[in-house]
Amino acid sequence: MNCGQQYPVDQIIYNCATCGGLLDVQHDMDYLRKSVSRQLFDQRLGTLEAPYNSGVWRYKELIYPDVPDDCIVSRPEGNTNLYRTPRLAEWAGVAQLYLKHEGENPTGSFKDRGMTGGLTQARLLGVRRVACASTGNTSASLAAYAAWAGIEGIVFFQNQQIALGKLAQAIAYGATGIQINADFDRNLELVREVADNLGVYVLNSVNPFRLEGQKSIMIETIQQLRWQVPDWIVVPGGNLGNSSAFGKALHELKALGLIDRLPRLAIIQAEGASPLYQSYQRGLDHLDPMHAETIATAIKIGNPVNYAKAVRALHWTDGVVEAVTDQEIMDAKALIDRQGIGCEPASACSLVGVQKLVRMGIIKPTDTVVGVLTGHVLKDADAVINYHSNALDHIHANYPNQLHQSEANVEALRAILESREAILQ
Ligand code: F0G
């Protein structure tokens, strides 16, 4: 992405050998201009036929045009709902708020959209083992897609710092799981070293084929809006793979004439894991890695590998970066959960980020905003139970739903339900 050096797609390489920069999948835009249209993608909506029944491969030309259909490793993923949420719009202070729920993917997070791209490439390359370091969701997704493809999956994660739902998935799907006494950032370095030494294919978001799949979140959202471009896209930022993929998708859609303008991108980080936000405050000069701490373990990342691509996405989209506290994250999550939608803590950055940017006068009250929910509510059930029982350190539950205990008789139940009725009035 920096020096323009090109490599064939069947070479296993994660950084440019000349300049050390990140790699992009480069499409033949002249060919695509002639072969894709809104109508083409609209015709495929609702089909039962693979691979176009996937919300990633519906846009195959924009993801991986010449891959043979029988090599595609798909569950199928995508086709997630775009919810119009008027009550949350009012809370956040905007006219129109949509939530794109990526927790509705097969393993419960947006990672499946990248993993279908990554495992398809792994199959094309003929590799036998794939690996990632993960805060949890990537490992769950890799484990599932590797199993589906009949390839060995290997996942590295930090001791004690992974939400139980994600750990359970990695084990259940049969990946080789290794808990390591090191944070995510160190684990990612380790996976790269292991890959070089042991011939393992890396499926973290340094792998550009993953990001091609994740582009489909933007394409699908805009198709669901009947190709009308919202004013803002708001997304949580950790390793910054998603933000990078969104920027590339929007840039390409515009270059191909599928949209006529770009939405602005807002990347929201947890305050305790906000190296991009710190850099943004200094004019995006450089990245200072930090020690990361946040209740939103999915984004507990201090040295995001995709920093340069995220900066490019911010430049393309006239984007902004904000940071939010753990208290704000957990309260916003409770509000999303209470709509009957639900999400994991990191995802709630999107909602509280919107409210914060409205209060700062950056998002206008008349704007149409799409917030991306990245993971399912059951990924981190501990966070739910601990919040609602007010058992989290330094966090007060402002929207609690406390469990009641009752004796097994009508009088005791009446006492609870009548007092609850009083609360609800
Ligand atoms: N939300 C959730 C639920 C995530 O799992 C992640 C990343 C993010 C947001 C941030 O996305 O890294 O593209 O900026 N989880 C990774 C993992 C790091 O290992 O599962 P990003």
Side-chain angles (χ1 to χ4, degrees):
M1 67 167 284
N2 296 333
C3 72
Q5 176 71 36
Q6 298 202 10
Y7 302 91
V9 287
D10 59 358
Q11 183 173 343
I12 296 183
I13 180 169
Y14 312 101
N15 285 92
C16 176
T18 308
C19 76
L22 295 163
L23 301 174
D24 266 330
V25 171
Q26 188 68 51
H27 290 279
D28 180 344
M29 298 301 273
D30 291 333
Y31 167 77
L32 288 183
R33 230 170 252 120
K34 282 180 265 160
S35 47
V36 300
S37 63
R38 293 178 180 182
Q39 289 81 348
L40 175 73
F41 300 136
D42 284 348
Q43 274 161 18
R44 292 177 184 164
L45 279 175
T47 183
L48 300 175
E49 300 303 321
Y52 302 128
N53 58 350
S54 153
V56 174
W57 298 100
R58 180 184 313 128
Y59 316 105
K60 185 180 174 200
E61 291 80 358
L62 306 183
I63 308 292
Y64 203 153
D66 49 4
V67 62
D69 286 353
D70 58 0
C71 287
I72 292 177
V73 181
S74 172
R75 287 283 305 274
E77 48 294 307
N79 293 310
T80 57
N81 284 301
L82 181 68
Y83 295 98
R84 207 168 71 80
T85 52
R87 279 174 292 186
L88 295 178
E90 194 183 327
W91 179 82
V94 283
Q96 293 279 7
L97 178 67
Y98 295 88
L99 293 178
K100 176 69 171 161
H101 206 328
E102 288 300 300
E104 296 175 348
N105 272 293
T107 76
S109 84
F110 71 93
K111 304 288 181 181
D112 295 344
R113 293 193 187 247
M115 220 39 90
T116 184
L119 257 302
T120 297
Q121 178 65 4
R123 188 182 261 174
L124 286 171
L125 294 168
V127 301
R128 290 185 302 109
R129 311 170 99 186
V130 294
C132 70
S134 180
T135 57
N137 280 322
T138 306
S139 66
S141 185
L142 180 142
Y145 277 75
W148 194 232
I151 292 174
E152 184 190 350
I154 303 167
V155 298
F156 289 11
F157 28 69
Q158 184 180 6
N159 278 340
Q160 314 294 332
Q161 290 289 330
I162 177 172
L164 211 56
K166 305 172 188 180
L167 179 62
Q169 284 179 293
I171 294 171
Y173 298 136
T176 302
I178 308 177
Q179 287 187 298
I180 301 175
N181 241 339
D183 63 11
F184 169 83
D185 301 298
R186 175 67 188 133
N187 281 342
L188 186 50
E189 287 169 7
L190 284 170
V191 94
R192 301 283 298 270
E193 284 171 36
V194 168
D196 291 344
N197 289 313
L198 300 178
V200 174
Y201 189 50
V202 178
L203 284 179
N204 277 100
S205 54
V206 285
N207 185 314
F209 295 96
R210 271 225 10 225
L211 297 192
E212 288 306 293
Q214 284 170 219
K215 286 190 325 193
S216 65
I217 301 172
M218 279 304 94
I219 314 172
E220 189 174 270
T221 297
I222 291 176
Q223 185 176 31
Q224 285 170 312
L225 292 171
R226 315 286 192 275
W227 303 101
Q228 299 303 303
V229 177
D231 298 302
W232 288 92
I233 301 288
V234 186
V235 64
N239 216 14
L240 304 176
N242 237 3
S243 321
S244 302
F246 289 9
K248 187 169 189 282
L250 295 166
H251 185 72
E252 289 172 354
L253 287 175
K254 172 92 179 355
L256 294 171
L258 291 165
I259 56 175
D260 51 16
R261 66 182 178 96
L262 297 193
R264 294 181 71 186
L265 187 64
I267 305 173
I268 314 298
Q269 296 206 292
E271 223 169 66
S274 56
L276 178 68
Y277 174 70
Q278 310 293 340
S279 165
Y280 177 75
Q281 296 291 87
R282 298 186 309 260
L284 294 170
D285 53 353
H286 65 277
L287 181 78
D288 267 341
M290 65 188 282
H291 172 74
E293 278 306 334
T294 168
I295 190 165
T297 52
I299 50 174
K300 199 163 102 58
I301 296 174
N303 189 15
V305 288
N306 292 297
Y307 170 75
K309 284 186 179 175
V311 169
R312 182 177 67 173
L314 290 167
H315 285 145
W316 274 336
T317 61
D318 188 20
V320 302
V321 186
E322 226 349 280
V324 295
T325 64
D326 282 4
Q327 175 74 52
E328 291 171 319
I329 290 172
M330 291 308 290
D331 282 335
K333 171 180 147 53
L335 291 173
I336 296 165
D337 291 353
R338 195 171 273 196
Q339 300 300 304
I341 299 177
C343 66
E344 68 163 285
S347 307
C349 284
S350 298
L351 176 65
V352 69
V354 176
Q355 189 194 55
K356 216 163 180 179
L357 291 168
V358 171
R359 288 185 176 164
M360 292 165 75
I362 296 173
I363 295 182
K364 292 198 286 299
T366 50
D367 284 346
T368 297
V369 181
V370 174
V372 180
L373 301 181
T374 44
H376 194 278
V377 65
L378 288 177
K379 287 283 191 173
D380 194 347
D382 284 344
V384 178
I385 304 294
N386 290 335
Y387 174 86
H388 288 286
S389 55
N390 240 326
L392 293 174
D393 286 346
H394 315 299
I395 291 177
H396 173 73
N398 287 314
Y399 304 102
N401 180 21
Q402 265 153 12
L403 259 184
H404 301 270
Q405 308 293 331
S406 175
E407 296 299 322
N409 64 65
V410 172
E411 275 320 301
L413 289 166
R414 183 198 301 279
I416 291 171
L417 292 176
E418 285 181 346
S419 68
R420 182 154 171 79
E421 211 172 289
I423 293 169
L424 291 177
Q425 275 167 6

